[in-house]
Amino acid sequence: RPRTTRRTRGRSAWRVWKMENERGAAKWHIASVSWGKDSLAMLLLLIEKSWPLDEVVFYDTGMEFQAIYDTQDRMLPELERLGIKYTRLEPENPFLFDMLERPVQSRQKGAHRGYGWCGGLCRWGTTEKLKAIDRYAEALGAEVYIGIATDETPRLAKKKKPYKLHPLAEWGVTEAAALARCYESGFFWEESGVRLYDILDRVSCWCCCNKNLRELRNVYSYLPEYWERLKDLQRKIDRPMKGWYNGLPRGVFELEQRFEAEAMEETKDGE
């Protein structure tokens, strides 16, 4: 059963839980945590504010940055100390199988292998993740905390299932404040000598094709190991990672040529 919590202002998940608990119908409470800045800040604040929390669920694509797994590993002892269950969900099929090998029939391409890059209009990995977490929570009749900041207005405006709660929005925590809270708690998502949130807008899967050009340029410049992995995937996927522009492909190799040319120009300008 969830532990006793202290009062919070306004209409809150705690108040809903309290009413249900008084009726003898206390729900199981899950925090959906990706180990990025928003979900981690939410988890830290849930613990600090003593909100009811029974379980933390992480959906592991197997394609996360190493810093995500490092953050997870740092928090696991604290969850164990607090008696909070930890569950790691996985895709039904390995991510790379669905990306590269799964038999697919589409109106656009006909029969082919693999969904290809995940992102844009084809967010097959995200769809799988949301379905898996929903299935898990609904089987338990649980309420789920989702880490969406108060200034992520489009995401908050989307219709949601009634058991999904947004504590960060309720507390008025912005994305910047969430990151600051994580930094204050000693979580920096460092790899290759850089903080990932200094060079990326979101620390999502390293192969997500939603990354913008600034982010991809920074992966090329600061995270060469991941850039080589992207090149390996591009060799196996027909569609360019960033699609086409004016009829020309913008795949990983074309982007590399662009970034190399930009670096040469900067070198000339600095001479």
Side-chain angles (χ1 to χ4, degrees):
R1 294 174 65 88
R3 57 184 181 279
T4 303
T5 65
R6 62 174 179 269
R7 184 177 298 275
T8 58
R9 294 180 181 177
R11 183 175 177 80
S12 66
W14 179 88
R15 193 180 297 277
V16 173
W17 171 81
K18 182 174 182 294
M19 292 171 60
E20 291 175 341
N21 193 42
E22 289 173 347
R23 295 198 301 267
K27 286 185 176 290
W28 190 257
H29 286 82
I30 291 172
S32 177
V33 176
S34 67
W35 301 115
K37 62 177 176 59
D38 295 333
S39 63
L40 177 59
M42 178 188 74
L43 177 59
L44 295 172
L45 287 167
L46 285 169
I47 294 171
E48 177 186 297
K49 295 175 180 291
S50 297
W51 275 36
L53 179 59
D54 303 286
E55 185 174 4
V56 169
V57 171
F58 167 51
Y59 182 88
D60 184 8
T61 64
M63 307 296 280
E64 314 296 335
F65 283 99
Q66 182 57 44
I68 290 293
Y69 298 113
D70 293 344
T71 301
Q72 167 200 247
D73 293 345
R74 281 191 56 193
M75 277 299 295
L76 288 183
E78 179 67 5
L79 296 180
E80 184 175 3
R81 184 185 71 81
L82 294 170
I84 298 171
K85 182 181 178 182
Y86 184 68
T87 300
R88 186 172 65 90
L89 302 179
E90 296 179 337
E92 183 176 343
N93 300 314
F95 188 95
L96 289 176
F97 172 82
D98 282 346
M99 187 182 213
L100 303 172
E101 302 176 30
R102 181 189 182 103
V104 177
Q105 180 72 38
S106 69
R107 286 179 293 180
Q108 185 179 19
K109 295 179 61 177
H112 62 281
R113 291 279 181 177
Y115 289 129
W117 297 108
C118 179
L121 296 177
C122 189
R123 302 182 66 193
W124 53 268
T126 302
T127 300
E128 175 79 10
K129 170 185 176 178
L130 295 177
K131 286 182 177 179
I133 295 174
D134 286 356
R135 282 195 302 268
Y136 185 82
E138 289 167 8
L140 294 172
E143 290 186 336
V144 183
Y145 301 123
I146 308 292
I148 301 179
T150 193
D151 52 349
E152 293 186 274
T153 307
R155 293 183 68 196
L156 291 172
K158 292 181 180 179
K159 184 177 180 181
K160 67 180 180 69
K161 296 184 177 181
Y163 60 82
K164 294 185 178 182
L165 310 172
H166 299 144
L168 291 180
E170 184 167 330
W171 299 324
V173 178
T174 64
E175 287 193 81
L179 181 60
R181 175 54 194 265
C182 293
Y183 283 175
E184 290 167 4
S185 301
F187 294 92
F188 301 109
W189 293 275
E190 289 182 327
E191 290 198 41
S192 301
V194 296
R195 294 182 179 184
L196 295 188
Y197 279 107
D198 286 346
I199 62 172
L200 303 173
D201 296 339
R202 293 191 173 277
V203 182
S204 54
C205 294
W206 56 263
C207 60
C208 178
C209 73
N210 283 342
K211 286 182 171 53
N212 57 44
L213 287 181
R214 183 191 76 88
E215 292 177 292
L216 290 170
R217 184 180 292 107
N218 285 334
V219 173
Y220 167 78
S221 300
Y222 299 105
L223 303 171
E225 177 185 347
Y226 290 105
W227 188 257
E228 290 300 318
R229 295 184 195 179
L230 289 175
K231 287 166 65 176
D232 185 56
L233 290 178
Q234 186 66 86
R235 291 185 184 100
K236 301 170 183 175
I237 300 174
D238 292 337
R239 181 167 67 90
M241 184 182 189
K242 297 302 292 182
W244 287 265
Y245 182 74
N246 289 336
L248 297 176
R250 290 202 301 177
V252 178
F253 294 102
E254 289 79 18
L255 290 174
E256 181 170 274
Q257 292 174 355
R258 172 176 175 166
F259 299 153
E260 287 176 346
E262 290 173 347
M264 290 179 64
E265 284 298 318
E266 289 179 4
T267 301
K268 290 179 182 179
D269 292 342
E271 291 178 352

